[in-house]
Every structure is written in C-alpha cells, then in structure tokens.
C-alpha cells in the first residue's frame, strides 16, 4: 500500500511519500484550448497569458463560477482538482493520501476538499492541521505561535504544547502573502531599470514573465548577501543593475510593519514563535521577526508520517485532526531547539538534493553536471560537482569558483543550499 502526504499551501503545495519522492507545485493554473496546466509550468506562463491564468483557487476554494467560460473548468474547485490529480500522477499514483490543510480553510472548504478526493482515483485517509503536524516535530513546549506564509495571505496559528500540540485559534493576515512582497519588489526593480536604461520590463508580457521567473533566484542570493547583481534581456540587449537587501526591505516596510505589529500583539504571553521555511523566501524577514525556530521544509510531511496511525484509520467521515503528541526528544535535544533549526533525534544529514521541485537521492555518491537544458545527475564520478557520503557526513567536492554554498562543504546538513550560477539546489531529508 502506497501513501503520500500533500501539504496544501498555494505558495507551493508539497507532496512527499517518505520514500525518496518530494514534489513542490505552486498554486497556479493555466486554462488553454489543449487542457489545464498547473504548478510550475503554469507559473512560467502566468504573465504571458494573464486572462487564462489563475492563482486564487486554493485561497478561494469554492464552487463560484470562474470569470471565463471554459468547458474544462467551471469553478475554483475544478482547478484544485486538476492540480491534485497532477500531483498524484507525478508522485507515482499513491493509493492513499493524507491532506495537511492550513488553518485558513473553513468547514466548507474542508468539505469541498474531501469531495474532490472522493472523485479522485486515490483514497483520502487523513486530514490534519498543517501547523499542528509541523509543530509536533519541533520539540518545544508551552504556548506557541506558528507563522506560515501563503501566496496571498499569512496564517498565524496559536498552539498549546505540553504532552501534545493542540490548536487553539487561527489568525489570518489578508493580502500579506508571498505575492504581496514579490509584486512590491518586482515594481521596485522595474523602476531601477527604467531609471538606468529607460527600459520597463513590466511594459510587455514577456518582460514581466522574465522578471518574475528570475526574482526568486535574486531573492535567494540576498539571504546571504547584502547586494546582488540582476540581469534582464531586452530588445536592445542585456541590462544589469545592482539591488540590495536594504532597498527591498525599505520598499516593503509597510507590509513588514503590519506583520511585525500583529506578531507583537499576539505574543502577549511570551509565546514562542515558530515559522515555516517559507519565511526564508522573503530576505530580511527572519531577522526582523526573529522566530525561535525556522522549521525545515519537510516538517509538515515528517509530522504526518510520524503520526500516521493517529491521523489515518478513521471512518468515512474524516475528522480534522487539530491535536497530536509531541515527538519524544531528550532534554539535551529540547534545550538545543532555540537554534535556527529545531533539534531532532539524529544528526540532520540530508538524504536528497532538491532541484526544480524534484528530489535526487544522494546515496553514497551523486555527481552533477551542466547541460543546455539544466543540470544532469548520475551516481558515478562524472560531474562538475560531486556529493559524497563518508563516515556519516555529506561532503561537497567542486573546483568551480562560481559555486556558492551556505553550509560547511565538509559536513553539509539538511537546510543547506548550493547556488551554481543561475541554478539552486537545496539539501533536504526525506523520511
């Protein structure tokens, strides 16, 4: 029997099965004559075909008619169903699926989700609050606040943790999502190109698509650098400017202040703040909010897999699980949870390398080389980069001066990242 976990967050739905397969799919859909495309492929055409592009269907999961007439989809639920099917197929067609839903889903939306599952070729066997699943692995007790950032809003979940983690209340911050910040930064960067070259990348669909395609890579660089160079291709040639983290923080100061103010208001009893890994998609926000722990990207899936027997195995009417036991940790491991990464019962050695939403097993050795279409992976020694597992540690071997690594090359850990030119690789641990 094959089981997969799907974490529903429209900034990137995450699907994992605990057996070396991890897929991330942005909550975008594109309706074309030949069919509906979702995920990364839809995002890469969202600004080229804006009238056919949709990205609100998870936030507004309902049966209201779409603003366009299409035989392929009538409402947002149809688009959500299409993305679930594509995730199901890409993850190897698992027989059973557990859904980890955000606290922003109301009862009607949860009912629609389970209705979609009944029409799907898989069986839904569990439904759990994503923040509860993630926090159950954090080895922290007392009052907690869990912050997660979706595409269009932020979700703050108040949790009580003693012997188990239990959800108390949920706060939504509308219009304070990843896209809110991305739109502000895209406009700022466009203004700089206008000022220096009289070129407006947002004036054409192709220029806008190019800017948004490259924006995540530029932002990732600014997590570790105060300034970075950015390039765009125009009809007149390639243009380059420099942007700084401080400049981007200044142009989104109002949005950041709203988030900071809300967090300060909610932490009235000294609650410990946990954040999902998505906070690191927004340079500088980690420092400004100062969460006690930034949870790894696999936290929700790990929590679901760890508590699978408690989450699944219910009657046909699946309950929404909002309480789970805290995973057992030693006192020493609990004390170390104030570090950026929560403690775990073992050294966080990565098992896979995440590249373009697919996970590649490191094993004893993984070689990586470049091609015109992207990076190639093999288990031999023929590559420009090699990851080698020796004595329980993952080592990075490369003589390329353009390669940048956030961790110790002689002991890479889960959560470290590698930037190789325009390509990003994340070290992850798949349970």
């Amino acid at each position: 029997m094959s089981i997969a976990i799907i974490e529903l967050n429209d900034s990137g739905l995450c699907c994992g099965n605990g057996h070396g397969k991890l897929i991330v799919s942005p909550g975008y859909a594109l309706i074309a004559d030949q069919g509906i495309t979702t995920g990364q492929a839809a995002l890469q055409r969202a600004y080229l075909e804006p009238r056919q592009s949709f990205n609100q269907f998870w936030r507004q999961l309902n049966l209201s008619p779409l603003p366009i007439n299409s035989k392929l989809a009538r409402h947002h639920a149809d688009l959500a169903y299409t993305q679930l099917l594509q995730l199901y197929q890409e993850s190897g067609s698992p027989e059973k699926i557990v859904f980890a839903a955000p606290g922003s889903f109301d009862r009607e939306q949860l009912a629609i989700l389970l209705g979609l599952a009944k029409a799907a070729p898989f069986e839904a066997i569990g439904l759990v609050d994503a923040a509860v699943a993630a926090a159950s692995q954090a080895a922290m007790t007392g009052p907690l606040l869990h912050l997660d950032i979706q595409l269009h809003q932020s979700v703050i979940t108040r949790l009580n943790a003693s012997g188990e983690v239990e959800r108390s209340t949920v706060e939504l911050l509308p219009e304070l999502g990843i896209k809110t910040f991305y739109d502000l930064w895209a406009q700022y960067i466009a203004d700089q190109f206008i000022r220096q070259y009289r070129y407006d990348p947002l004036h054409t669909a192709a220029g806008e698509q190019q800017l948004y395609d490259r924006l995540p890579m530029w932002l990732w660089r600014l997590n570790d650098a105060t300034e970075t160079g950015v390039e765009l291709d125009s009809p007149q040639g390639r243009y380059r400017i420099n942007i700084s983290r401080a400049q981007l923080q200044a142009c989104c100061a109002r949005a950041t202040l709203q988030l900071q103010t809300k967090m300060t208001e909610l932490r009235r009893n000294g609650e410990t703040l946990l954040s999902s890994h998505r906070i690191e998609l927004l340079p500088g926000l980690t420092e400004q909010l100062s969460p006690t722990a930034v949870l790894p990207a696999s936290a929700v899936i790990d929590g679901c897999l760890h508590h699978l027997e408690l989450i699944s195995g219910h009657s046909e009417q699946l309950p929404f699980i909002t309480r789970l036991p805290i995973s057992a940790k030693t006192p020493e491991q609990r004390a170390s949870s104030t570090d950026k990464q929560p403690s775990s019962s073992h050294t966080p050695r990565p098992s896979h390398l995440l590249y373009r939403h697919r996970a590649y097993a490191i094993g004893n050795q993984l070689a990586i080389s470049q091609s015109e279409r992207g990076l190639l992976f093999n288990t031999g020694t023929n590559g420009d980069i090699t990851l080698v597992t020796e004595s329980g540690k993952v080592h990075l071997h490369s003589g390329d001066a353009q390669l940048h690594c956030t961790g110790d090359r002689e002991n890479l850990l889960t959560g470290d990242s590698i930037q190789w030119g325009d390509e990003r690789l994340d070290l992850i641990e798949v349970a």
Side-chain angles (χ1 to χ4, degrees):
M1 178 183 68
S2 55
I3 298 176
I5 314 297
I6 294 182
E7 178 191 357
L8 301 171
N9 182 309
D10 54 5
S11 70
L13 281 76
C14 189
C15 181
N17 57 17
H19 299 288
K21 191 77 170 181
L22 187 66
I23 300 170
V24 179
S25 181
Y28 279 76
L30 187 75
I31 301 178
D33 293 339
Q34 62 272 29
I36 301 175
T37 303
T38 67
Q40 189 66 26
L43 175 56
Q44 290 174 342
R45 297 197 63 79
Y47 299 93
L48 297 175
E49 303 176 67
R51 293 183 180 179
Q52 308 301 117
S53 177
F54 299 87
N55 56 50
Q56 295 269 6
F57 55 93
W58 283 111
R59 180 190 185 188
Q60 300 175 2
L61 184 60
N62 55 44
L63 302 179
S64 300
L66 291 173
I68 65 171
N69 293 322
S70 172
K71 296 180 180 179
L72 301 173
R74 299 159 296 165
H75 38 60
H76 284 154
D78 285 338
L79 299 180
Y81 180 74
T82 302
Q83 184 160 33
L84 288 180
L85 284 186
Q86 292 187 2
L87 272 173
Y88 160 77
Q89 293 164 359
E90 290 181 23
S91 59
S93 303
E95 300 170 81
K96 302 179 184 294
I97 284 181
V98 170
F99 289 113
S104 56
F105 273 27
D106 59 27
R107 290 185 178 181
E108 181 180 353
Q109 290 175 315
L110 292 173
I112 291 175
L113 173 66
L114 294 180
L116 298 179
K118 286 184 178 180
F122 55 80
E123 178 187 359
I125 62 169
L127 181 62
V128 63
D129 181 274
V132 171
S136 71
Q137 303 297 291
M140 293 186 180
T141 57
L144 309 175
L145 289 178
H146 178 275
L147 169 66
D148 200 6
I149 303 175
Q150 300 177 357
L151 192 60
H152 299 285
Q153 62 187 359
S154 292
V155 181
I156 305 170
T157 306
R158 186 181 295 279
L159 304 165
N160 296 314
S162 52
E164 56 187 9
V165 177
E166 182 177 9
R167 191 179 84 174
S168 175
T169 59
V170 177
E171 295 273 351
L172 302 183
L173 300 181
E175 311 309 326
L176 273 180
I178 287 176
K179 196 172 187 305
T180 308
F181 288 87
Y182 278 20
D183 288 347
L184 289 170
W185 291 334
Q187 185 62 62
Y188 171 79
I189 292 171
D191 290 344
Q192 303 314 302
F193 277 101
I194 294 172
R195 183 171 300 159
Q196 294 193 33
Y197 299 104
R198 296 186 178 179
Y199 167 62
D200 183 2
L202 301 181
H203 183 67
T204 65
E208 188 174 20
Q209 185 70 59
Q210 180 187 192
L211 194 160
Y212 275 93
D213 284 347
R214 299 184 181 185
L215 182 59
M217 176 187 64
W218 300 334
L219 298 178
W220 185 86
R221 292 176 184 170
L222 288 174
N223 274 318
D224 300 304
T226 57
E227 184 175 290
T228 188
V230 303
E231 294 183 347
L232 288 176
D233 295 319
S234 77
Q236 291 74 38
R238 177 169 295 182
Y239 293 142
R240 177 184 175 88
I241 63 171
N242 289 330
I243 58 173
S244 71
R245 189 193 313 166
Q247 290 168 335
L248 296 189
Q249 289 173 344
C251 73
C252 69
R254 183 174 180 179
T256 303
L257 180 60
Q258 285 181 266
L259 190 53
Q260 286 178 307
T261 301
K262 191 63 177 180
M263 297 308 303
T264 300
E265 173 189 327
L266 292 175
R267 297 178 78 175
R268 54 182 178 267
N269 295 318
E271 287 84 350
T272 298
L273 175 59
L274 309 179
S275 172
S276 77
H277 66 286
R278 296 177 182 92
I279 195 175
E280 295 181 329
L281 297 173
L282 307 173
L285 202 58
T286 303
E287 292 80 4
Q288 290 170 301
L289 295 181
S290 300
T292 300
V294 177
L295 302 173
S298 62
V300 172
I301 291 176
D302 290 345
C304 290
L305 291 172
H306 188 87
H307 298 296
L308 192 57
E309 291 185 3
L310 294 174
I311 296 170
S312 62
H314 299 279
S315 62
E316 184 176 341
Q317 297 295 326
L318 292 180
F320 187 35
I321 304 298
T322 57
R323 181 171 60 188
L324 287 173
I326 296 175
S327 298
K329 308 286 181 178
T330 66
E332 292 77 14
Q333 290 165 340
R334 288 184 184 276
S336 67
S337 63
T338 54
D339 296 334
K340 181 179 179 181
Q341 293 291 349
S343 63
S344 61
S345 58
H346 63 283
T347 301
R349 181 172 66 83
S351 61
H352 290 68
L353 199 61
L354 183 65
Y355 170 65
R356 293 187 181 180
H357 311 302
R358 293 197 177 276
Y360 298 85
I362 296 172
N364 293 326
Q365 187 164 278
L366 179 65
I368 312 163
S369 56
Q370 292 179 319
S371 74
E372 293 182 357
R373 295 185 177 181
L375 301 183
L376 302 176
F377 298 79
N378 66 80
T379 57
T381 58
N382 185 22
D384 302 303
I385 298 176
T386 307
L387 295 179
V388 179
T389 302
E390 295 177 347
S391 303
K393 296 182 179 180
V394 176
H395 305 264
L396 170 64
H397 301 295
S398 174
D400 192 332
Q402 301 300 315
L403 183 142
H404 173 69
C405 179
T406 61
D408 181 357
R409 295 191 181 205
E410 298 302 317
N411 185 21
L412 292 173
L413 302 178
T414 299
D416 290 337
S417 297
I418 299 169
Q419 186 75 31
W420 191 18
D422 291 340
E423 304 286 7
R424 172 178 171 172
L425 306 102
D426 294 309
L427 290 130
I428 62 174
E429 182 179 9
V430 179

